[in-house]
Amino acid sequence: MTHLTDLHTKISEILNSVGFEVYPFLIGWYNDLVQEKFKLPYDRDILAFVVLSTPAMFDKAFKPFIYRQSCEGPADPIDQCMRYYFGLIKEAFPDKEVDVIHDFEMTPTRRPKILVQTAGHVAGAAYYYQKKDVTDEAWYPDKKMGGFSIHPKYGGWFALRGVFIFKSIHQPDLPRIEPVDCLPSQEDRKMLLESFNFNYHDWSYRDIVVADERYSEEQKKYFQTDPRDRKDILKEILANCVRKEKN
């Protein structure tokens, strides 16, 4: 049987240095919280890891990737970058059956293949705040509200990028770690969900808790720009990479 600590350590050695964090969970934990159409077709005790990108990912992973690779074509450069780094994990375990599901992958019916915020919650990575976490029944009773995850260190300045599933590794005794409830106040939960749902482009909801690390202004500019209009920003990033390389 594969030792969980060794597995976790090896994955972390590959990804942590370039701005990612990984958290283990069991498929059953995830399946228990999602609708039937979102359940993953694996045994309950199969081991998986959810991958989180920290604010450092942009400088440590994304910029070096677009400097080394040609990111032309229809695929989003960030998505291409994630495929590359996730691929490193599959290469690191040639003797294991590893399935990868990215946050941007869709089924033929345009349904997400994985609900990464739920995966992040059950793995203890970040607390996924949803409408059900607000106990006030008079609060927007007929309004559908999207949820948002908050991390105790990064606040809302991070992204959940997908999962690795080790299809042949059963880990029934994996201890479950609950996510840190950064917003025990009902008013803070309302404020987060209202800001996220009604004023998404403001991004102030990401600072609802004090974050140790935040996105740089350059990174915010990139993600706030429509993907169709990011070419000029990419050219600027590449030019800066070239200048640094020459110096």
Side-chain angles (χ1 to χ4, degrees), residues 66 218 221 230-243:
I66 62 171
E218 179 184 46
K221 179 182 177 182
R230 290 174 179 169
K231 289 184 178 180
D232 289 341
I233 302 176
L234 285 169
K235 288 179 181 177
E236 184 179 335
I237 291 172
L238 285 170
N240 289 335
C241 288
V242 171
R243 282 194 291 269

Side-chain angles (χ1 to χ4, degrees), residues 19 53-59 154 157-158 213-216 219:
S53 64
T54 75
M57 179 280 294
F58 196 77
D59 284 333
Y154 308 116
W157 301 101
F158 72 98
E213 297 178 36
R214 301 170 77 253
Y215 288 179
S216 65
Q219 187 172 180

Side-chain angles (χ1 to χ4, degrees), residues 160-178:
L160 291 154
R161 297 295 182 179
V163 300
F164 302 111
I165 300 166
F166 286 80
K167 296 168 60 176
S168 60
I169 299 181
H170 296 258
Q171 200 78 35
D173 297 326
L174 179 70
R176 186 163 182 173
I177 298 174
E178 296 297 327

Side-chain angles (χ1 to χ4, degrees), residues 1-57:
M1 179 178 290
T2 302
H3 196 284
L4 173 63
T5 302
D6 294 340
L7 193 68
H8 197 173
T9 298
K10 188 171 182 178
I11 297 172
S12 297
E13 286 174 350
I14 297 169
L15 293 181
N16 284 14
S17 63
V18 288
F20 296 96
E21 295 178 359
V22 293
Y23 300 80
F25 69 98
L26 296 183
I27 294 296
W29 302 350
Y30 171 86
N31 282 348
D32 285 344
L33 293 187
V34 299
Q35 299 175 46
E36 189 65 34
K37 62 185 178 182
F38 291 112
K39 293 185 187 298
L40 299 174
Y42 306 91
D43 292 342
R44 290 186 56 81
D45 60 352
I46 290 294
L47 178 67
F49 290 87
V50 66
V51 181
L52 176 154
S53 64
T54 75
M57 179 280 294

Side-chain angles (χ1 to χ4, degrees), residues 28-186:
W29 302 350
Y30 171 86
N31 282 348
D32 285 344
L33 293 187
V34 299
Q35 299 175 46
E36 189 65 34
K37 62 185 178 182
F38 291 112
K39 293 185 187 298
L40 299 174
Y42 306 91
D43 292 342
R44 290 186 56 81
D45 60 352
I46 290 294
L47 178 67
F49 290 87
V50 66
V51 181
L52 176 154
S53 64
T54 75
M57 179 280 294
F58 196 77
D59 284 333
K60 293 183 176 181
F62 182 59
K63 287 184 180 180
F65 174 78
I66 62 171
Y67 181 57
R68 294 191 306 265
Q69 309 287 329
S70 173
C71 289
E72 298 177 354
D76 184 278
I78 286 284
D79 294 351
Q80 293 182 54
C81 178
M82 295 305 112
R83 288 192 186 279
Y84 171 77
Y85 284 102
F86 276 50
L88 296 182
I89 300 302
K90 292 199 71 169
E91 292 174 7
F93 299 97
D95 59 329
K96 306 286 187 236
E97 291 184 278
V98 184
D99 281 353
V100 168
I101 309 177
H102 294 276
D103 69 304
F104 53 81
E105 289 189 277
M106 299 285 180
T107 67
T109 57
R110 304 301 299 166
R111 185 176 70 241
K113 287 187 176 181
I114 183 78
L115 300 178
V116 286
Q117 295 198 93
T118 299
H121 187 94
V122 299
Y127 201 108
Y128 181 30
Y129 292 97
Q130 303 174 74
K131 188 176 182 180
K132 66 181 180 61
D133 294 307
V134 174
T135 57
D136 182 358
E137 294 183 359
W139 183 73
Y140 297 104
D142 302 317
K143 171 71 175 176
K144 185 177 181 180
M145 304 284 272
F148 191 77
S149 296
I150 294 294
H151 189 281
K153 180 178 179 181
Y154 308 116
W157 301 101
F158 72 98
L160 291 154
R161 297 295 182 179
V163 300
F164 302 111
I165 300 166
F166 286 80
K167 296 168 60 176
S168 60
I169 299 181
H170 296 258
Q171 200 78 35
D173 297 326
L174 179 70
R176 186 163 182 173
I177 298 174
E178 296 297 327
V180 176
D181 183 359
C182 304
L183 305 176
S185 161
Q186 288 288 306

